[in-house]
Amino acid sequence: MTHAEDALEVEGVSKTYATVRAVDDLSFSVAPGEIFGLLGPNGAGKTTSIRMMLDIIKPDAGRISVLGGPMTEATKARIGYLPEERGLYEDMTLLETLLFLAQLKGLSRQTARERAESYLNEVELWDAHDLKIKALSRGMNQKAQFVAATMHEPDLIIVDEPFSGLDPVNTRIIKTLLYRMRDRGAAIIMSTHQMHQVEEMCQRILLIDHGRRVLYGPLADIRRQFASNAVEVDLRGELDQVPGVAHLAPRNGGYRLLLQDGVRPEQVLRTLVDLPDVTVERFERVATSLDEIFIQVVGRRPADEETTAV
């Protein structure tokens, strides 16, 4: 279900290249003030979907509304896009590049200069502002690309693998900026194969495979849907066999218990509490990671290569 206030609405969108259905009847929405995960294995249709959102290519069927309507030149100035294939003008200096790109987005030169200095200081690149792009390291280039995509403070931001090539310190810097953009009301679409980043940052996700939507909704709901049939328990005492438990294994000073089909965790907890010579100190259902859910749904890991990348 989409709403008028959504930053992006995609309804029944399809796209075919020759005999390949790259996107197949895809529908989803993204709200202002959220970080939304766009996920799928290589070849799933993510790139084609992004290109249709940006009006680079047209869908064969369906409707896309961006920031309240069809794409216009004014709308484009309110969008920031960090593509997976990076590319800045190598023979221009970092500052010249940022000023040029910001003015294309409608900023005055003075405002662009102020923003560029502010953002470059935040990402610890101001000392490199007079260097040519080709002189920047991979990590510096990645941060420069991020600033170029976001310094006009867009209302819709699409970032493809935003942490590629970044060490943990620089990853934290980019995350802080993304959170700040979210908090000021920007809608952020993040496409990445790094599932741990999605788990940390995204409120809702869309998982597509072969161009079709296979999972969509709040991440917390999806993880509950795929909740593991295992629990971890810390206790004083020893366990041997426990009714309702198919397999028991020592783990980190406690135990991991795999429950029999149809057995609820609270049943096992009651059994453990009633055991003589056992004191339960922690009892926790094992969360299923998004990486495990991904593999379970599409049958392969997020970054597995395919012959067709669309």
Side-chain angles (χ1 to χ4, degrees), residues 244-259:
V245 173
H247 179 71
L248 179 153
R251 184 180 178 88
N252 298 330
Y255 294 89
R256 175 171 284 200
L257 312 178
L258 180 63
L259 309 188

Side-chain angles (χ1 to χ4, degrees), residues 145-161:
Q145 298 259 2
F146 182 87
V147 171
T150 59
M151 64 179 278
H152 60 295
E153 298 186 349
D155 297 312
L156 174 63
I157 301 165
I158 301 172
V159 289
D160 199 345
E161 299 295 350

Side-chain angles (χ1 to χ4, degrees), residues 94-128:
L94 173 55
L95 184 58
E96 286 171 340
T97 301
L98 294 180
L99 295 182
F100 172 69
L101 294 173
Q103 288 175 97
L104 287 180
K105 289 293 188 178
L107 270 61
S108 70
R109 188 169 180 84
Q110 180 180 346
T111 300
R113 179 67 168 72
E114 292 167 357
R115 292 259 185 98
E117 183 170 355
S118 173
Y119 273 79
L120 287 177
N121 274 309
E122 281 206 68
V123 301
E124 301 177 356
L125 275 185
W126 177 250
D127 289 346

Side-chain angles (χ1 to χ4, degrees), residues 227-233 242-245 257 259-260 262-275 280 283-286:
S228 153
N229 196 32
V231 297
E232 287 185 355
V233 57
V242 179
V245 173
L257 312 178
L259 309 188
Q260 294 173 352
V263 174
R264 299 191 308 276
E266 56 268 28
Q267 294 173 271
V268 174
L269 176 58
R270 280 196 295 267
T271 299
L272 293 176
V273 169
D274 289 340
L275 286 176
V280 177
F283 184 93
E284 185 177 339
R285 193 161 191 174
V286 176

Side-chain angles (χ1 to χ4, degrees), residues 207-218:
L207 174 59
I208 59 177
D209 190 29
H210 296 101
R212 283 190 159 273
R213 185 174 93 183
V214 291
L215 284 178
Y216 173 56

Side-chain angles (χ1 to χ4, degrees), residues 70-294:
M71 185 70 79
T72 64
E73 289 305 311
T75 305
K76 288 178 184 178
R78 298 170 60 198
I79 297 172
Y81 176 41
L82 177 70
E84 186 175 11
E85 306 83 18
R86 315 298 191 221
L88 294 175
Y89 304 103
E90 291 206 335
D91 286 320
M92 291 175 68
T93 69
L94 173 55
L95 184 58
E96 286 171 340
T97 301
L98 294 180
L99 295 182
F100 172 69
L101 294 173
Q103 288 175 97
L104 287 180
K105 289 293 188 178
L107 270 61
S108 70
R109 188 169 180 84
Q110 180 180 346
T111 300
R113 179 67 168 72
E114 292 167 357
R115 292 259 185 98
E117 183 170 355
S118 173
Y119 273 79
L120 287 177
N121 274 309
E122 281 206 68
V123 301
E124 301 177 356
L125 275 185
W126 177 250
D127 289 346
H129 73 275
D130 277 338
L131 291 180
K132 289 190 175 183
I133 295 295
K134 63 185 177 185
L136 302 180
S137 70
R138 183 185 175 198
M140 294 165 75
N141 203 299
Q142 170 74 351
K143 292 191 291 182
Q145 298 259 2
F146 182 87
V147 171
T150 59
M151 64 179 278
H152 60 295
E153 298 186 349
D155 297 312
L156 174 63
I157 301 165
I158 301 172
V159 289
D160 199 345
E161 299 295 350
F163 310 114
S164 176
L166 296 182
D167 61 27
V169 172
N170 285 310
T171 294
R172 189 182 306 120
I173 289 171
I174 298 302
K175 278 185 186 177
T176 298
L177 288 172
L178 285 169
Y179 287 139
R180 192 174 74 200
M181 293 167 191
R182 176 202 64 189
D183 292 346
R184 70 165 171 77
I188 300 170
I189 299 172
M190 184 170 78
S191 180
T192 181
H193 289 134
Q194 298 181 26
M195 294 297 107
H196 65 286
Q197 305 289 10
V198 176
E199 289 179 319
E200 179 183 333
M201 300 180 69
C202 295
Q203 291 77 55
R204 296 189 306 130
I205 66 165
L206 168 68
L207 174 59
I208 59 177
D209 190 29
H210 296 101
R212 283 190 159 273
R213 185 174 93 183
V214 291
L215 284 178
Y216 173 56
L219 181 55
D221 291 352
I222 289 170
R223 293 188 71 178
R224 276 194 292 271
Q225 178 187 339
F226 286 84
S228 153
N229 196 32
V231 297
E232 287 185 355
V233 57
D234 293 341
L235 48 76
R236 290 201 302 273
E238 298 293 330
L239 293 182
D240 184 11
Q241 289 185 324
V242 179
V245 173
H247 179 71
L248 179 153
R251 184 180 178 88
N252 298 330
Y255 294 89
R256 175 171 284 200
L257 312 178
L258 180 63
L259 309 188
Q260 294 173 352
D261 289 345
V263 174
R264 299 191 308 276
E266 56 268 28
Q267 294 173 271
V268 174
L269 176 58
R270 280 196 295 267
T271 299
L272 293 176
V273 169
D274 289 340
L275 286 176
D277 303 320
V278 167
T279 302
V280 177
E281 297 177 334
R282 181 180 71 92
F283 184 93
E284 185 177 339
R285 193 161 191 174
V286 176
T288 304
S289 72
L290 187 54
D291 205 61
E292 292 169 318
I293 294 170
F294 191 110

